[in-house]
Amino acid sequence: MTAKDTYHLSGSIDDLATTIGMEDRSVLQLAREMARLGFQAGQLGRSVEAWERMISEDEITVFLGLAGAMVPAGLRKLISFMISERMVDCVVSTGANIFHDLCEGLGVVHYRGDPGADDGSLREEGIDRIFDVYVSEAGLLKGDRYIADFTKGLDPGRPYSSREVMEMLGADMPEDTILGSAARAGVPIYVPALSDSSIGIGMVLAWREGHRAVVDQIKDVDEISQITEKSSQTGVVFVGGGVPKNFIQQTKVVAELSGRYRGGHNYAIQYTIDPPHFGGLSGCTFSEGVSWGKISKEARMIQVFVDATIALPIVVHALDESGTRRRSPPRYGWEDGELTLSYGDGQ
């Protein structure tokens, strides 16, 4: 019995060699060559293959879970591009990412700084630090006040889903922001822990002035579960883990309890630095998710244990260079809390 027979692999032994040479390559060519490598380089390359295959499907809804400080790190325009090109169809984010996105839309800039700086001195200078990124406290306060003023225009007599609030905020944001690109592309954004961010801070400022607008997070659960239930297939891409990961995953539990279960997610990709052996959600394997019915046992599952700020620029550039474009991304229609989902022509 040969090694090939033992491991049930196809192709010649030479094709299975992990060696990569040095030659001129595009980002896409590099990613495809990396797929032949071992360890996390190989996983990164294979994640590009899986994502490319996922968005080439005729009828599929792709969820993006966005955790971590991706916008302060500098990935706003890249994520906006993913949305505009419909590499993803529904975004679930921490409130912090969306707030920093809004601030950049208002002209606030995040700068490279020194992680070893004297933080007491930074405090005196009005500079907030996120590891090696600086941002002006005055700029963030500008964002807080913008949210407070925006909240004063909401109807206190009805509850809003976070999707509705994000759509309204995005209408006035630049196209290269996450909010602005999503509003123009018809991609919903959910912020399930909205109050745990400066969006919540801005809204409570309005609340204390008598403008008591309500964001109903249970309405969020209902809406995003409807997206899962009415999608022909689903795929997930998780940047980090945390609340966004669970919020997307639990839609399968809601579907099953409601008698609308179509099976687990068909594709699953994650970029995370959290290992599985501590038992946390952010690092748990997709195989574990199969036991819950959240991921299909036949799903294409790729987890890359890597800093997402390293992985995403490579992956998204490779996907763009591949020329793979959506033919039939989902289109959403909402009326009285009920979703109509159809698959239409790509943009």
Side-chain angles (χ1 to χ4, degrees):
M1 181 177 288
T2 67
K4 177 176 143 182
D5 294 327
T6 302
Y7 294 101
H8 308 287
L9 298 171
S10 60
S12 70
I13 293 298
D14 288 342
D15 290 337
L16 300 175
T18 56
T19 303
I20 185 172
M22 183 61 200
E23 59 187 66
D24 290 335
R25 296 182 176 92
S26 67
V27 177
L28 174 62
Q29 290 169 332
L30 177 61
R32 286 180 172 164
E33 286 293 311
M34 286 174 68
R36 300 177 55 190
L37 300 180
F39 310 141
Q40 300 314 304
Q43 289 294 93
L44 182 65
R46 288 186 282 275
S47 77
V48 174
E49 294 176 345
W51 200 336
E52 186 179 356
R53 188 185 306 175
M54 177 167 58
I55 62 177
S56 68
E57 295 274 7
D58 284 333
E59 294 188 356
I60 189 169
T61 303
V62 182
F63 294 87
L64 172 67
L66 188 63
M70 296 298 107
V71 173
L75 299 188
R76 167 178 61 89
K77 291 183 179 180
L78 186 144
I79 296 166
S80 173
F81 178 82
M82 290 163 52
I83 294 169
S84 297
E85 294 297 315
R86 295 305 289 267
M87 294 177 183
V88 296
D89 305 308
C90 178
V91 177
V92 178
S93 177
T94 59
N97 270 315
I98 299 303
F99 178 74
H100 285 272
D101 176 70
L102 179 139
C103 286
E104 291 203 348
L106 297 175
V108 179
V109 178
H110 294 84
Y111 296 97
R112 284 182 290 113
D114 179 4
D118 184 311
D119 289 298
S121 297
L122 293 179
R123 172 66 176 170
E124 293 174 0
E125 296 293 330
I127 297 172
D128 295 339
R129 180 174 69 86
I130 308 168
F131 186 58
D132 63 350
V133 174
Y134 291 168
V135 62
S136 162
E137 175 70 14
L140 297 184
L141 290 175
K142 179 180 179 181
D144 292 331
R145 295 189 185 99
Y146 185 94
I147 293 292
D149 291 340
F150 164 83
T151 302
K152 293 173 183 178
L154 298 178
D155 181 0
R158 54 154 293 197
Y160 293 86
S161 67
S162 64
R163 170 191 61 83
E164 294 174 297
V165 173
M166 296 306 114
E167 284 179 4
M168 289 184 282
L169 283 171
D172 295 323
M173 287 290 109
E175 293 185 17
D176 63 357
T177 60
I178 296 171
L179 285 164
S181 60
R184 289 161 179 80
V187 170
I189 298 176
Y190 289 95
V191 185
L194 182 146
S195 59
D196 183 31
S197 71
S198 279
I199 299 176
I201 292 173
M203 295 190 79
V204 83
L205 293 177
W207 182 280
R208 290 182 174 183
E209 293 179 19
H211 302 275
R212 301 200 164 189
V214 174
V215 179
D216 187 343
Q217 306 265 236
I218 304 305
K219 189 175 182 181
D220 283 359
V221 176
D222 178 52
E223 285 192 2
I224 194 170
S225 295
Q226 287 189 58
I227 294 175
T228 287
E229 292 159 356
K230 297 180 180 182
S231 296
S232 298
Q233 295 187 84
T234 52
V236 296
V237 178
F238 296 132
V239 177
V243 170
K245 181 178 180 181
N246 186 68
F247 196 71
I248 294 169
Q249 295 288 64
Q250 74 177 15
T251 62
K252 291 297 183 180
V253 177
V254 174
E256 188 164 23
L257 291 171
S258 301
R260 301 172 182 175
Y261 185 62
R262 294 190 175 192
H265 295 299
N266 306 95
Y267 291 85
I269 300 168
Q270 184 178 19
Y271 305 98
T272 182
I273 57 172
D274 294 307
H277 55 262
F278 292 118
L281 172 74
S282 296
C284 77
T285 64
F286 287 132
S287 179
E288 179 180 309
V290 171
S291 75
W292 292 76
K294 298 172 181 178
I295 307 292
S296 168
K297 65 181 180 180
E298 291 86 18
R300 180 75 164 127
M301 308 176 227
I302 301 290
Q303 282 180 287
V304 192
F305 292 93
V306 64
D307 184 332
T309 63
I310 298 171
L312 279 184
I314 298 171
V315 170
V316 176
H317 276 82
L319 286 172
D320 183 47
E321 287 181 12
S322 75
T324 304
R325 296 293 182 268
R326 298 297 291 282
R327 294 189 296 268
S328 55
R331 306 296 178 191
Y332 312 97
W334 294 97
E335 185 173 353
D336 297 327
E338 289 297 317
L339 170 66
T340 300
L341 187 150
S342 61
Y343 292 94
D345 294 335
Q347 298 180 356

